[in-house]
Coordinates of all heavy atoms in Angstrom, one line a residue:
L64 N 0.8 -1.2 0.0 CA 0.0 0.0 0.0 C 0.9 1.2 0.0 O 0.6 2.2 -0.8 CB -0.9 0.0 1.2 CG -1.9 1.2 1.3 CD1 -2.9 1.2 0.1 CD2 -2.7 1.0 2.7
T65 N 1.9 1.3 0.8 CA 2.8 2.4 0.9 C 3.5 2.6 -0.5 O 3.6 3.8 -0.9 CB 3.8 2.2 2.0 OG1 3.1 2.1 3.3 CG2 4.8 3.3 2.0
A66 N 3.9 1.5 -1.1 CA 4.6 1.7 -2.4 C 3.6 2.2 -3.4 O 4.0 3.0 -4.3 CB 5.1 0.3 -2.8
G67 N 2.4 1.7 -3.4 CA 1.3 2.2 -4.3 C 1.0 3.7 -4.1 O 0.9 4.5 -5.0
E68 N 1.0 4.1 -2.8 CA 0.8 5.5 -2.5 C 2.0 6.4 -3.1 O 1.7 7.5 -3.7 CB 0.7 5.7 -1.0 CG -0.5 5.2 -0.4 CD -0.5 5.1 1.1 OE1 0.7 5.4 1.8 OE2 -1.5 4.8 1.7
R69 N 3.2 5.9 -2.9 CA 4.4 6.6 -3.5 C 4.3 6.7 -5.0 O 4.5 7.8 -5.6 CB 5.6 5.8 -3.0 CG 6.9 6.6 -3.4 CD 8.2 5.9 -2.7 NE 8.2 4.5 -2.7 CZ 8.0 3.7 -1.6 NH1 7.7 4.2 -0.5 NH2 8.0 2.4 -1.7
A70 N 3.9 5.6 -5.7 CA 3.8 5.6 -7.1 C 2.7 6.6 -7.6 O 2.9 7.3 -8.5 CB 3.4 4.2 -7.6
A71 N 1.6 6.6 -6.9 CA 0.5 7.6 -7.3 C 1.0 9.1 -7.1 O 0.8 9.9 -7.9 CB -0.7 7.4 -6.4
R72 N 1.7 9.3 -6.0 CA 2.3 10.7 -5.7 C 3.3 11.0 -6.8 O 3.3 12.1 -7.3 CB 2.9 10.7 -4.3 CG 3.0 12.0 -3.7 CD 3.5 12.0 -2.2 NE 4.4 10.9 -1.8 CZ 4.0 9.8 -1.1 NH1 2.7 9.7 -0.7 NH2 4.8 8.9 -0.7
E73 N 4.2 10.1 -7.2 CA 5.1 10.3 -8.2 C 4.4 10.7 -9.6 O 5.1 11.3 -10.5 CB 6.1 9.1 -8.4 CG 7.0 9.0 -7.3 CD 7.8 7.6 -7.3 OE1 7.5 6.8 -8.1 OE2 8.6 7.4 -6.4
H74 N 3.2 10.2 -9.8 CA 2.5 10.6 -11.0 C 1.6 11.8 -10.8 O 0.6 12.0 -11.6 CB 1.6 9.3 -11.4 CG 2.5 8.3 -12.1 ND1 3.2 7.3 -11.4 CD2 2.8 8.1 -13.4 CE1 3.9 6.6 -12.3 NE2 3.6 7.0 -13.5
G75 N 1.7 12.6 -9.7 CA 1.0 13.7 -9.5 C -0.2 13.7 -8.6 O -0.9 14.7 -8.4
A76 N -0.5 12.5 -8.1 CA -1.8 12.4 -7.3 C -1.4 13.1 -5.9 O -0.4 13.0 -5.4 CB -2.1 11.0 -7.1
Q77 N -2.5 13.8 -5.4 CA -2.3 14.4 -4.0 C -3.1 13.6 -3.0 O -3.0 13.9 -1.8 CB -2.9 15.8 -4.1 CG -2.0 16.7 -5.1 CD -2.8 17.9 -5.5 OE1 -4.0 18.0 -5.3 NE2 -2.1 18.8 -6.2
A78 N -3.9 12.6 -3.5 CA -4.7 11.8 -2.5 C -5.0 10.5 -3.2 O -4.9 10.4 -4.5 CB -6.0 12.5 -2.2
L79 N -5.4 9.5 -2.5 CA -5.7 8.2 -3.0 C -6.9 7.7 -2.3 O -7.0 7.7 -1.1 CB -4.5 7.2 -2.8 CG -4.6 5.8 -3.3 CD1 -4.8 5.8 -4.8 CD2 -3.5 4.9 -3.0
E80 N -7.9 7.3 -3.1 CA -9.1 6.8 -2.5 C -9.3 5.3 -3.0 O -8.8 4.9 -4.0 CB -10.3 7.7 -3.1 CG -11.6 7.5 -2.3 CD -12.6 8.5 -2.7 OE1 -12.6 9.7 -2.2 OE2 -13.5 8.2 -3.6
L81 N -10.2 4.6 -2.2 CA -10.5 3.2 -2.6 C -11.8 2.8 -2.0 O -12.4 3.6 -1.3 CB -9.4 2.3 -2.0 CG -9.1 2.4 -0.5 CD1 -10.1 1.6 0.3 CD2 -7.7 2.1 -0.1
N82 N -12.3 1.7 -2.4 CA -13.5 1.1 -1.9 C -13.1 -0.2 -1.3 O -12.2 -0.9 -1.7 CB -14.5 0.8 -3.0 CG -15.8 0.2 -2.5 OD1 -16.5 0.7 -1.8 ND2 -15.9 -1.1 -2.9
V83 N -13.7 -0.5 -0.1 CA -13.5 -1.8 0.5 C -14.9 -2.4 0.9 O -15.7 -1.7 1.4 CB -12.6 -1.7 1.8 CG1 -13.2 -0.8 2.8 CG2 -12.2 -3.1 2.3
F84 N -15.1 -3.7 0.6 CA -16.3 -4.4 0.9 C -16.4 -4.5 2.4 O -15.4 -4.8 3.1 CB -16.4 -5.7 0.3 CG -16.7 -5.6 -1.2 CD1 -15.7 -5.6 -2.2 CD2 -18.0 -5.5 -1.6 CE1 -16.0 -5.5 -3.5 CE2 -18.3 -5.4 -3.0 CZ -17.3 -5.4 -3.9
G85 N -17.6 -4.3 3.0 CA -17.8 -4.3 4.5 C -17.3 -5.6 5.1 O -16.8 -5.6 6.2
A86 N -17.5 -6.8 4.4 CA -17.1 -8.1 5.0 C -15.6 -8.2 5.0 O -15.1 -9.2 5.7 CB -17.7 -9.1 4.3
N87 N -14.8 -7.4 4.4 CA -13.4 -7.6 4.4 C -12.7 -6.9 5.5 O -12.0 -5.8 5.4 CB -12.8 -7.1 3.0 CG -11.4 -7.6 2.7 OD1 -10.7 -8.0 3.7 ND2 -11.0 -7.5 1.5
E88 N -12.8 -7.5 6.6 CA -12.3 -6.9 7.9 C -10.8 -6.7 7.9 O -10.4 -5.6 8.3 CB -12.7 -7.8 9.1 CG -12.5 -7.2 10.5 CD -13.6 -6.2 10.7 OE1 -14.7 -6.3 10.2 OE2 -13.3 -5.3 11.5
T89 N -10.0 -7.6 7.3 CA -8.6 -7.4 7.3 C -8.2 -6.2 6.5 O -7.4 -5.4 6.9 CB -7.9 -8.7 6.7 OG1 -8.3 -9.8 7.5 CG2 -6.4 -8.6 6.6
A90 N -8.8 -6.1 5.3 CA -8.5 -4.9 4.5 C -8.9 -3.6 5.2 O -8.2 -2.6 5.1 CB -9.1 -5.0 3.1
R91 N -10.1 -3.6 5.7 CA -10.6 -2.4 6.4 C -9.6 -2.0 7.5 O -9.3 -0.8 7.7 CB -12.0 -2.6 7.0 CG -13.1 -2.6 5.9 CD -14.5 -2.7 6.4 NE -14.7 -2.3 7.7 CZ -15.4 -3.0 8.6 NH1 -15.9 -4.2 8.2 NH2 -15.6 -2.7 9.8

């Protein structure tokens, strides 16, 4: 996740959003 945030930032993103299914407790 941290590496993905860094890649998004390197491509100009200032924020990163996502969707997570409610039943996916580990991901949440």
